Amino acid sequence: MAASTTLPVYQRYNVHGVPVNTSRKTLRIMEKYVLILVLLTFGLFCFGAFFFLPDLRSSGVKKQIVDAGQQMFIPKADGKLRFKHDPNEQIDHHVIEDKNKLLIKIEEAEKDKSAAVEDRKKSDTETESDKTNTVDVKQKGNENTAADQQKDAKSHLPDEKKQVEPSVVKQPIGKLVYKRIGTQGGEPTDPEMKQRRDTVRQMMKFAWDGYAKFAWGSNELRSVTKRGHSASVFGATAFGATIVDALDTLYIMGLMDEYEKGKEWVKTSFHFKSGSEVSVFEVNIRFLGGMLSMYALTGDEIYKGKAIEVADKLLPAFNTPTGIPYSTINLQSGNGRNWGWASGGCSILAEFGTLHLEFAYLTEITGNPIYLQKVMRIREVLKQLDKPYGLYPNYLNPKTGRWGQHFFSIGALGDSFYEYLLKTWIQSGKQDKEAREMYDAAVQGIESKLLHTSRGGLRYLAEQKSGRVEHKMDHLACFAGGMFALGAQGSSNPEKYMNMGRDITNTCHESYIKTETHLGPEAFNFNANSEAVATRGNQKYYILRPETVEAYYYMYRLTKDKKYQDWGWDVVQALEKHCRTDVGYSGIRDVYNPHPPKDDVQQSFFLAETLKYLYLLFSEDDLLPLTHWVFNTEAHPLPVKVPDSL
């Protein structure tokens, strides 16, 4: 028998033929080496931690580490990833981009542990408040799920992760507050002005009484046939538009019995619930603006609650790929859409650009950031887009973020967008510099492309469509006389812009005195044969519009030139002669006809705007002083932030 082929344990081979040393004695030595290395490493780690690392129990440091983890896409406790954006979630924009920044933050937190603890508590409180304020906001609407539209929209817009905090209206310098002053009074010392103001007050009572008797609860009054009326912008539901629109005018004029009746109706009967499709713009400026104005004037919580009810019904209109809202909203379904005639389904500049004053103030008084976030998103989109000639086209596609037809106007479709840029700056206590910069840049574009001078020396604001100038000016554009004058303060050339305001206001006055009725047409033209005259049948009507007397009001307040009061009195006399009916006032169909037929509608804005501006024109400056109040485009006064010392 051959000798055994069994090898010693320490000479066995592995499957690859390589000797494997399995000696127990050698193994014990290696274990000692490993154990020593482990102990040495652990000791060095503990030594370094003891002398160099901060107290990790500090809540501030812990927060920095947790936040840093989230920045690096570490799943949160709820399983969601930080980079998967929740639109209702507040995002910390102070992003920790690398380890060096993290270490710096840790060192800073260690220097003031108590401050870090307080910050953590404050942050937790604000987060809970935001959740509470937004829990009832249901955003339903049409969602664009087409991949190509989403891709196209995102390629032209700012990053959707950039949620805007309401700090834009919080003041970084000093203490700015809202003050409820000058809400009534303003009795003129001049007997003639007192008589004129009393006449306007009587007109307001007459218009209100006719509505209350024949159309109470309806949106408007048909002042010839003595029944209720509702324009398409209100849908098919009676929301009492005239009541809401007129309340602040009644209050300012001291018509308290009439005001109390309207307030009681709002308290018990105003409910913004129906299946109607309404204009987002009109609801905002009339209903939301009216409720917010009454809250600002009186501090009555009823109006704040109603304002929230209205605003929350409008929120689904913002559910578009860009955040640019639709023009209309169905109050029951939350579905939004745009007008079919609006340049291939576009939203309209004057509509989505006339939301800021109301939504910003609503955030201020409720503490709910969602309202301001919606309008600041609109601003972010507009800032990123190219402005042809420095101007903003009247149409913008809310799905793609592209401009529609290159149609520029300071009248219909564009007007109040420019007004709100300026007034947003004023409302913020002149701290929202970005709004002012956008306004100044837009005015430069208006000067270079839309401002023209006729052969007779009248300056007017024309329209431009696809590069072609149309020498026509809307009555709606007459507000710009007051806007330019109001914006002169704070501009680079106050005298220049005050003169622009003066010239535009004078042109609108010319359009009035060139008619048989001394009431201005809906639009007027400039050509070789006529200036500031309507040349088409559909331009000759007057529907009780306020824009010209609005310009008179601002020009008088800012210049003290009494000719503007005289021009306003001429309008009062014309209204009494041509627009008064047995129970109210009506628009007329032809301002060039000495006996014009009436259109049988007493517009709600006649009580909200036209009569209010006439009343203020004959009042002293301490009634709604411009230092403390700014008017929305429906003439509803909202407070301006002022230094606490004023």
Side-chain angles (χ1 to χ4, degrees), residues 155-217:
S155 66
H156 292 87
L157 299 174
D159 187 355
E160 292 183 1
K161 295 180 182 179
K162 295 179 181 178
Q163 295 295 314
V164 182
E165 301 292 342
S167 58
V168 67
V169 293
K170 291 181 180 178
Q171 311 307 324
I173 301 175
K175 182 179 181 182
L176 299 184
V177 296
Y178 295 129
K179 291 198 172 182
R180 191 176 297 123
I181 67 170
T183 60
Q184 291 180 324
E187 185 81 10
T189 56
D190 184 334
E192 183 181 20
M193 294 305 120
K194 183 180 185 306
Q195 181 269 325
R196 291 179 178 183
R197 192 174 92 142
D198 287 344
T199 298
V200 176
R201 189 173 184 269
Q202 292 166 7
M203 293 171 68
M204 178 66 186
K205 178 171 171 47
F206 180 68
W208 173 266
D209 288 346
Y211 167 81
K213 183 175 181 179
F214 295 101
W216 186 250

Side-chain angles (χ1 to χ4, degrees), residues 30 69 168 243 295:
M30 291 300 295
V168 67
I243 300 174
Y295 175 74

